[in-house]
Amino acid sequence: MTVDLLLGLQWGDEGKGKIVDILTTNYNIIARFQGGPNAGHTLVFNGMKHVLHTIPSGIFHEKAINLVGNGVVIDPVIFKNELIKLDEHHIDYKKSLRISRKSHLILPTHRLLDAASEIAKGKAKIGSTLKGIGPTYMDKTGRNGIRVGDLELEHWKKKYRALANKHERMIAFYKVDLQYNLEELETEFFNAIETLKELTFIDSEEYIYQALKKGESILAEGAQGSLLDIDFGTYPFVTSSNTTAAGACTGLGVAPNQIGEVYGIFKAYTTRVGSGPFPTELFDEDGETMGRVGNEFGATTGRSRRCGWLDLVALRYACQINGVTQLMMMKGDVLSGFKTLKICTAYNYKGETITHLPYNIEAENVTPIYTEFNGWSEDLTTMKNDSQFPKELNDYISFLEEELDIPIKIVSVGPDRKQTIFR
Ligand code: GDP
Ligand code: IMO
Ligand code: MG
């Protein structure tokens, strides 16, 4: 068997949670491989909305194993809160959750460092979710981090103290006004660690190897999106992990030749939350409409998301980097009612027309070149199959399939599980 991947192709929030939840019926194991509680994955079914941050989106299916892989960074406090929410729905997560011993822990001081760094940056801030992601990955690559497996060792608290003390000195170095009560934060943290320890820690790469050998199927659930990738995203306005296909190999311990399908998921338009360049961003009524109709508010921070037209230059780039084999287009319903729709098909880059993503996509270098499409007025949210689609939507979809040379297999027409059309 192979490991299939589901990856966001834009700046995150494409609707990964919804689709992973739906696809879970086809898989034995759902695995997160990078990121951490900066993610907010929304699932809607039976009239209820659930938001997951660290826990894989297959958790509501009784039969699937949900694995938090070695590439993920875990904040025990946020993780515990997620478990409490699952308790309300009587989810037997002790049976279905597994955590890699090699995943790293986000300490309270990592969160404080994130905040101090952002304050110090002022206007140049990344717009981080302030969950401590950057500082935790810095400690991972700096070889100072604390891993879940350390919790099984006797003296891990000594290691914790040394690292937290070092972080406090680093926070002071920033010379910013950051008020905090570490004692309170630590009480909460150590309580949450006890909850985490009730779960099953595993050597996940071996677990995956054996699962594949037995013929079990695995779906790797990406967090964030390709344009937030530490290497290929709009650096430095990115997250601190590889959100692209290669990240699944290192974040789970699977070899490249074990990757099967690569599902690439994108919104029918574009959104971004936090700072950084966004060539097709709209500052007019159209952008405001997308935000309002699409309810574009961050699932983790509640911040309003910036909105704009679909950027095919960036989308093509993401498909290339990831080796996408199937596409899923989300939130098509949000575009109902626009008289004209636009897709950015090329950039004017320093006076030249280009169709690849250049090194720098800041507004002073890049102006989007658009192709216009007729809009549709039909409400898509109650449609059950693609034979009901208006011609203009079919034209929009066919154009993208031709340009990207990849089939769009799912068109999502609303947040609910049921509002999903397979093609
Ligand atoms: P993720 O981070 O990729 O899992 O996406 P988020 O959960 O952060 O954001 C996607 C938002 O869009 C959530 O509020 C979903 O409930 C919602 N959503 C997903 N698919 C659709 C869709 O097809 N139409 C509409 N209107 N909303 C959708
Ligand atoms: P999901 O998985 C959208 C953005 C932040 C910020 C930048 C760095 O729900 O799609 P970080 O906290 O990682 O240091 O923030 O990345 N960001 C996301 N934007 N969806 C996400 O996750 C995101 N995770 C991080 O807004 O601009
Ligand atoms: Mg999200």
Coordinates of all heavy atoms in Angstrom, one line a residue, residues 112-180:
L112 N 5.8 32.6 24.5 CA 6.2 33.9 24.9 C 7.3 34.5 23.9 O 7.3 35.6 23.6 CB 6.7 33.9 26.3 CG 5.7 33.5 27.4 CD1 6.4 33.3 28.7 CD2 4.6 34.6 27.5
L113 N 8.2 33.6 23.5 CA 9.2 34.0 22.5 C 8.6 34.4 21.2 O 9.0 35.4 20.6 CB 10.2 32.8 22.3 CG 11.3 32.7 23.3 CD1 12.0 31.3 23.0 CD2 12.3 33.8 23.2
D114 N 7.6 33.7 20.8 CA 6.9 34.0 19.6 C 6.3 35.5 19.7 O 6.5 36.3 18.8 CB 5.7 33.0 19.4 CG 5.4 32.7 17.9 OD1 6.0 33.3 17.0 OD2 4.5 31.9 17.7
A115 N 5.6 35.7 20.8 CA 5.0 37.0 21.0 C 6.1 38.1 21.1 O 6.0 39.2 20.4 CB 4.2 37.0 22.3
A116 N 7.2 37.9 21.8 CA 8.3 38.9 21.9 C 8.9 39.2 20.6 O 9.1 40.3 20.2 CB 9.4 38.3 22.9
S117 N 9.1 38.1 19.8 CA 9.7 38.3 18.4 C 8.8 39.2 17.6 O 9.2 40.1 16.8 CB 9.9 36.9 17.8 OG 10.1 37.1 16.4
E118 N 7.5 38.9 17.6 CA 6.5 39.6 16.8 C 6.4 41.1 17.3 O 6.4 42.0 16.4 CB 5.1 39.0 16.9 CG 5.0 37.7 16.0 CD 4.9 38.0 14.5 OE1 5.9 38.2 13.9 OE2 3.8 37.9 14.0
I119 N 6.4 41.3 18.6 CA 6.4 42.7 19.1 C 7.7 43.5 18.6 O 7.6 44.6 18.1 CB 6.3 42.8 20.6 CG1 5.0 42.1 21.1 CG2 6.4 44.2 21.1 CD1 4.9 41.9 22.6
A120 N 8.8 42.8 18.7 CA 10.1 43.4 18.3 C 10.1 43.8 16.8 O 10.7 44.7 16.4 CB 11.2 42.5 18.7
K121 N 9.4 43.0 16.0 CA 9.4 43.2 14.6 C 8.6 44.4 14.2 O 8.7 44.9 13.1 CB 8.9 42.0 13.8 CG 10.0 40.9 13.7 CD 9.5 39.8 12.7 CE 10.7 39.1 12.2 NZ 10.7 37.6 12.4
G122 N 7.6 44.8 15.0 CA 6.7 45.9 14.7 C 6.0 45.7 13.5 O 5.3 44.7 13.3
K123 N 6.0 46.7 12.6 CA 5.2 46.6 11.3 C 5.7 45.5 10.4 O 4.9 45.0 9.6 CB 5.4 47.9 10.5 CG 4.5 49.0 11.0 CD 4.6 50.2 10.0 CE 3.6 51.3 10.4 NZ 4.1 52.6 9.9
A124 N 6.9 45.0 10.6 CA 7.4 43.9 9.8 C 7.0 42.5 10.3 O 7.5 41.5 9.8 CB 8.9 44.0 9.7
K125 N 6.1 42.5 11.3 CA 5.7 41.2 11.9 C 5.2 40.2 10.9 O 4.6 40.6 9.8 CB 4.7 41.4 13.0 CG 3.3 41.8 12.6 CD 2.4 41.9 13.8 CE 1.0 42.3 13.3 NZ 0.0 42.4 14.3
I126 N 5.3 38.9 11.2 CA 4.9 37.9 10.3 C 3.3 37.7 10.3 O 2.7 37.3 9.4 CB 5.5 36.5 10.7 CG1 7.0 36.6 10.9 CG2 5.0 35.4 9.8 CD1 7.8 36.8 9.6
G127 N 2.8 38.1 11.5 CA 1.3 37.9 11.6 C 1.1 36.5 12.1 O 0.1 35.8 11.8
S128 N 2.1 36.0 12.9 CA 2.0 34.6 13.4 C 0.8 34.4 14.3 O 0.2 35.3 14.8 CB 3.2 34.4 14.3 OG 3.0 33.3 15.2
T129 N 0.4 33.1 14.4 CA -0.8 32.8 15.2 C -0.4 32.9 16.7 O -1.3 32.7 17.5 CB -1.3 31.4 14.9 OG1 -0.2 30.5 15.1 CG2 -1.7 31.3 13.4
L130 N 0.9 33.1 17.0 CA 1.4 33.2 18.3 C 1.2 31.9 19.1 O 1.1 32.0 20.3 CB 0.8 34.4 19.1 CG 0.9 35.8 18.4 CD1 0.2 36.9 19.2 CD2 2.4 36.1 18.3
K131 N 1.3 30.8 18.4 CA 1.2 29.5 19.1 C 2.6 28.9 19.5 O 2.7 27.8 19.9 CB 0.4 28.5 18.3 CG -1.0 29.0 17.9 CD -1.9 29.2 19.1 CE -3.2 29.8 18.7 NZ -4.0 30.3 19.9
G132 N 3.6 29.7 19.2 CA 5.0 29.2 19.6 C 5.6 28.3 18.5 O 6.6 27.6 18.8
I133 N 5.0 28.3 17.3 CA 5.5 27.4 16.3 C 6.9 27.7 15.9 O 7.8 26.8 15.9 CB 4.5 27.5 15.0 CG1 3.1 27.3 15.4 CG2 5.0 26.6 13.9 CD1 2.7 25.9 15.9
G134 N 7.2 28.9 15.5 CA 8.6 29.3 15.0 C 9.6 28.9 16.1 O 10.6 28.2 15.8
P135 N 9.5 29.4 17.3 CA 10.5 29.1 18.3 C 10.6 27.6 18.6 O 11.7 27.1 18.9 CB 10.0 29.8 19.6 CG 9.2 31.0 19.0 CD 8.6 30.5 17.8
T136 N 9.6 26.8 18.5 CA 9.7 25.4 18.8 C 10.5 24.7 17.7 O 11.3 23.9 17.9 CB 8.3 24.7 18.9 OG1 7.6 25.5 19.9 CG2 8.3 23.3 19.3
Y137 N 10.2 25.0 16.4 CA 11.0 24.5 15.3 C 12.4 25.0 15.3 O 13.3 24.2 14.9 CB 10.3 24.8 13.9 CG 9.1 23.8 13.6 CD1 7.8 24.3 13.5 CD2 9.4 22.5 13.4 CE1 6.8 23.5 13.1 CE2 8.3 21.6 13.0 CZ 7.0 22.1 12.9 OH 6.0 21.3 12.6
M138 N 12.6 26.2 15.8 CA 14.0 26.6 16.0 C 14.7 25.8 17.0 O 15.9 25.4 16.8 CB 14.0 28.1 16.4 CG 13.8 29.1 15.3 SD 13.4 30.7 15.9 CE 14.9 31.3 16.6
D139 N 14.1 25.4 18.1 CA 14.7 24.6 19.1 C 14.9 23.1 18.5 O 15.9 22.5 18.8 CB 13.9 24.5 20.4 CG 14.4 25.6 21.3 OD1 15.5 26.1 21.2 OD2 13.6 26.0 22.3
K140 N 14.0 22.7 17.6 CA 14.2 21.4 17.0 C 15.4 21.4 16.2 O 16.3 20.5 16.3 CB 12.9 21.1 16.2 CG 13.0 19.8 15.4 CD 11.7 19.5 14.6 CE 11.9 18.2 13.8 NZ 10.6 17.8 13.1
T141 N 15.5 22.3 15.2 CA 16.7 22.3 14.3 C 17.9 22.8 15.1 O 19.0 22.4 14.7 CB 16.4 23.3 13.1 OG1 16.0 24.5 13.6 CG2 15.4 22.7 12.2
G142 N 17.8 23.5 16.1 CA 18.9 23.9 16.9 C 19.4 22.8 17.9 O 20.3 22.9 18.6
R143 N 18.6 21.7 17.9 CA 18.9 20.5 18.7 C 18.8 20.7 20.2 O 19.6 20.2 21.0 CB 20.3 19.9 18.3 CG 20.2 19.4 16.8 CD 21.6 19.4 16.2 NE 22.2 20.7 16.1 CZ 23.4 20.9 15.6 NH1 24.1 19.9 15.2 NH2 23.9 22.1 15.6
N144 N 17.8 21.5 20.5 CA 17.6 21.8 22.0 C 16.2 21.4 22.4 O 15.9 21.6 23.6 CB 17.7 23.3 22.2 CG 19.1 23.9 21.9 OD1 20.0 23.3 22.4 ND2 19.1 24.9 21.1
G145 N 15.4 20.9 21.5 CA 14.0 20.7 21.8 C 13.7 19.6 22.8 O 14.5 18.7 23.1
I146 N 12.4 19.6 23.3 CA 12.0 18.5 24.2 C 10.9 17.7 23.4 O 10.0 18.3 22.8 CB 11.4 19.0 25.5 CG1 12.5 19.8 26.2 CG2 10.8 17.9 26.3 CD1 12.2 20.3 27.6
R147 N 11.1 16.4 23.3 CA 10.2 15.6 22.6 C 9.2 14.8 23.5 O 9.5 14.6 24.6 CB 11.0 14.6 21.7 CG 11.9 15.4 20.7 CD 12.5 14.5 19.7 NE 13.6 13.6 20.3 CZ 14.2 12.7 19.6 NH1 14.0 12.5 18.3 NH2 15.2 12.0 20.1
V148 N 8.1 14.3 22.9 CA 7.1 13.6 23.6 C 7.8 12.4 24.3 O 7.5 12.1 25.4 CB 6.0 13.2 22.6 CG1 5.2 12.0 23.2 CG2 5.1 14.4 22.3
G149 N 8.7 11.7 23.6 CA 9.4 10.6 24.2 C 10.2 10.9 25.4 O 10.4 10.0 26.3
D150 N 10.6 12.2 25.6 CA 11.3 12.6 26.8 C 10.5 12.5 28.0 O 11.0 12.3 29.1 CB 11.8 14.0 26.6 CG 12.9 14.2 25.6 OD1 13.6 13.1 25.3 OD2 13.1 15.3 25.1
L151 N 9.2 12.6 27.8 CA 8.2 12.5 29.0 C 8.3 11.2 29.7 O 7.9 11.0 30.8 CB 6.8 12.8 28.5 CG 6.6 14.2 27.8 CD1 5.1 14.3 27.4 CD2 7.0 15.3 28.7
E152 N 8.8 10.2 29.0 CA 8.9 8.8 29.6 C 10.2 8.7 30.3 O 10.5 7.6 31.0 CB 8.8 7.7 28.5 CG 7.4 7.7 27.8 CD 7.4 6.9 26.6 OE1 8.4 6.8 25.8 OE2 6.3 6.3 26.3
L153 N 11.1 9.7 30.2 CA 12.4 9.6 30.9 C 12.3 10.3 32.3 O 11.4 11.2 32.5 CB 13.5 10.3 30.1 CG 13.6 9.8 28.6 CD1 14.6 10.7 27.9 CD2 13.9 8.3 28.6
E154 N 13.2 9.9 33.2 CA 13.0 10.3 34.6 C 13.3 11.8 34.7 O 12.6 12.5 35.4 CB 14.0 9.5 35.4 CG 13.3 8.8 36.5 CD 14.3 7.9 37.3 OE1 15.1 8.5 37.9 OE2 14.2 6.7 37.1
H155 N 14.3 12.3 34.1 CA 14.8 13.7 34.4 C 14.4 14.7 33.4 O 15.0 15.7 33.2 CB 16.3 13.6 34.5 CG 16.8 12.7 35.6 ND1 16.4 12.9 36.9 CD2 17.6 11.6 35.6 CE1 16.9 12.0 37.7 NE2 17.6 11.2 36.9
W156 N 13.3 14.5 32.7 CA 12.9 15.4 31.6 C 12.6 16.8 32.2 O 12.8 17.8 31.5 CB 11.7 14.9 30.8 CG 10.4 15.1 31.4 CD1 9.7 14.3 32.2 CD2 9.5 16.2 31.2 NE1 8.5 14.8 32.6 CE2 8.3 16.0 32.0 CE3 9.6 17.4 30.5 CZ2 7.3 16.9 32.1 CZ3 8.6 18.3 30.6 CH2 7.4 18.1 31.3
K157 N 12.2 16.9 33.5 CA 11.8 18.2 34.0 C 13.1 19.1 34.2 O 13.0 20.3 34.1 CB 11.1 18.0 35.3 CG 9.6 17.8 35.1 CD 8.8 17.9 36.3 CE 7.3 17.6 36.0 NZ 6.5 17.3 37.1
K158 N 14.2 18.4 34.4 CA 15.5 19.1 34.5 C 15.8 19.8 33.2 O 16.2 20.9 33.1 CB 16.6 18.1 34.9 CG 17.3 18.4 36.2 CD 18.2 17.3 36.4 CE 19.5 17.7 37.1 NZ 20.3 16.5 37.4
K159 N 15.6 19.0 32.2 CA 15.8 19.5 30.8 C 14.9 20.6 30.5 O 15.3 21.6 29.9 CB 15.6 18.3 29.8 CG 16.2 18.5 28.5 CD 16.1 17.2 27.7 CE 16.4 17.5 26.2 NZ 16.1 16.4 25.3
Y160 N 13.6 20.5 31.0 CA 12.6 21.5 30.8 C 13.1 22.8 31.4 O 13.1 23.9 30.8 CB 11.3 21.1 31.4 CG 10.3 22.2 31.4 CD1 9.5 22.5 30.3 CD2 10.3 23.1 32.5 CE1 8.7 23.7 30.3 CE2 9.4 24.2 32.6 CZ 8.6 24.5 31.5 OH 7.8 25.6 31.5
R161 N 13.5 22.7 32.7 CA 13.9 23.9 33.5 C 15.0 24.6 32.8 O 15.0 25.9 32.6 CB 14.3 23.4 34.9 CG 14.5 24.5 35.9 CD 13.2 25.1 36.4 NE 12.7 26.2 35.6 CZ 11.4 26.5 35.4 NH1 10.5 25.7 36.0 NH2 11.1 27.5 34.7
A162 N 16.0 23.9 32.3 CA 17.2 24.5 31.7 C 16.8 25.3 30.4 O 17.2 26.4 30.2 CB 18.2 23.4 31.3
L163 N 15.9 24.6 29.6 CA 15.4 25.3 28.4 C 14.6 26.5 28.7 O 14.7 27.5 28.1 CB 14.7 24.2 27.5 CG 14.3 24.7 26.1 CD1 15.6 25.1 25.3 CD2 13.6 23.5 25.3
A164 N 13.6 26.3 29.6 CA 12.7 27.5 30.0 C 13.6 28.6 30.5 O 13.3 29.8 30.2 CB 11.7 27.0 31.0
N165 N 14.6 28.4 31.3 CA 15.4 29.4 31.9 C 16.1 30.2 30.7 O 16.2 31.4 30.7 CB 16.5 28.9 32.8 CG 15.8 28.5 34.2 OD1 14.7 28.8 34.4 ND2 16.6 27.7 35.0
K166 N 16.6 29.4 29.8 CA 17.3 30.0 28.6 C 16.3 30.9 27.8 O 16.7 32.0 27.4 CB 17.9 28.9 27.7 CG 18.6 29.4 26.5 CD 19.2 28.2 25.7 CE 19.0 28.5 24.2 NZ 19.3 27.3 23.4
H167 N 15.1 30.4 27.7 CA 14.1 31.1 27.0 C 13.8 32.5 27.7 O 13.6 33.5 27.1 CB 12.8 30.3 26.8 CG 12.9 29.2 25.9 ND1 12.0 28.2 25.9 CD2 13.7 28.9 24.9 CE1 12.3 27.3 24.9 NE2 13.3 27.8 24.3
E168 N 13.8 32.4 29.0 CA 13.5 33.7 29.7 C 14.6 34.7 29.5 O 14.3 35.9 29.4 CB 13.4 33.4 31.2 CG 12.0 32.8 31.6 CD 11.6 33.2 33.0 OE1 12.0 32.6 33.9 OE2 10.8 34.2 33.1
R169 N 15.8 34.2 29.4 CA 16.9 35.1 29.1 C 16.8 35.7 27.7 O 17.0 36.9 27.4 CB 18.3 34.4 29.3 CG 18.6 34.0 30.7 CD 20.1 33.7 30.9 NE 20.5 32.5 30.2 CZ 20.3 31.2 30.6 NH1 19.8 31.0 31.8 NH2 20.7 30.2 29.9
M170 N 16.3 34.9 26.8 CA 16.1 35.3 25.4 C 15.0 36.3 25.3 O 15.1 37.3 24.6 CB 15.8 34.1 24.5 CG 17.0 33.2 24.2 SD 16.6 31.6 23.6 CE 16.0 32.0 21.9
I171 N 13.9 36.1 26.1 CA 12.8 37.0 26.1 C 13.3 38.4 26.6 O 12.9 39.4 26.0 CB 11.6 36.5 27.0 CG1 11.0 35.2 26.3 CG2 10.5 37.6 27.2 CD1 10.2 34.4 27.3
A172 N 14.1 38.4 27.7 CA 14.6 39.7 28.2 C 15.4 40.4 27.2 O 15.4 41.6 27.1 CB 15.4 39.4 29.5
F173 N 16.1 39.6 26.4 CA 17.0 40.2 25.3 C 16.2 41.0 24.3 O 16.7 42.0 23.8 CB 17.7 39.0 24.6 CG 18.6 39.4 23.5 CD1 19.9 39.9 23.7 CD2 18.2 39.2 22.2 CE1 20.7 40.3 22.6 CE2 19.0 39.6 21.1 CZ 20.2 40.2 21.3
Y174 N 15.0 40.6 24.1 CA 14.1 41.4 23.1 C 13.8 42.8 23.6 O 13.4 43.7 22.8 CB 12.8 40.6 22.8 CG 13.0 39.5 21.8 CD1 12.9 38.2 22.1 CD2 13.1 39.9 20.4 CE1 13.0 37.2 21.2 CE2 13.2 38.9 19.5 CZ 13.2 37.5 19.9 OH 13.3 36.6 18.9
K175 N 13.9 43.0 24.9 CA 13.6 44.3 25.5 C 12.2 44.9 25.0 O 12.1 46.0 24.6 CB 14.7 45.3 25.2 CG 16.0 45.0 25.8 CD 17.0 46.2 25.7 CE 18.2 46.0 26.5 NZ 19.0 44.8 26.2
V176 N 11.2 44.0 25.1 CA 9.8 44.4 24.7 C 8.9 44.4 25.9 O 9.3 43.7 26.9 CB 9.2 43.6 23.6 CG1 10.0 43.8 22.3 CG2 9.2 42.1 24.0
D177 N 7.8 45.1 25.9 CA 6.9 45.1 27.0 C 6.0 43.8 26.9 O 5.0 43.9 26.2 CB 6.1 46.4 27.0 CG 5.1 46.4 28.2 OD1 5.4 45.7 29.2 OD2 4.1 47.1 28.1
L178 N 6.4 42.8 27.5 CA 5.6 41.5 27.5 C 5.3 41.1 28.9 O 6.2 40.7 29.7 CB 6.4 40.4 26.7 CG 5.7 39.1 26.5 CD1 4.5 39.2 25.6 CD2 6.7 38.1 26.0
Q179 N 4.1 41.2 29.3 CA 3.7 40.8 30.7 C 3.3 39.3 30.7 O 2.6 38.8 29.9 CB 2.4 41.6 31.1 CG 2.6 43.1 31.0 CD 3.6 43.7 32.0 OE1 3.7 43.2 33.1 NE2 4.3 44.7 31.5
Y180 N 3.9 38.6 31.7 CA 3.5 37.2 31.8 C 3.7 36.6 33.2 O 4.5 37.2 33.9 CB 4.2 36.3 30.8 CG 5.7 36.3 30.9 CD1 6.3 35.3 31.6 CD2 6.5 37.2 30.2 CE1 7.7 35.3 31.7 CE2 7.9 37.2 30.3 CZ 8.5 36.2 31.1 OH 9.8 36.2 31.2

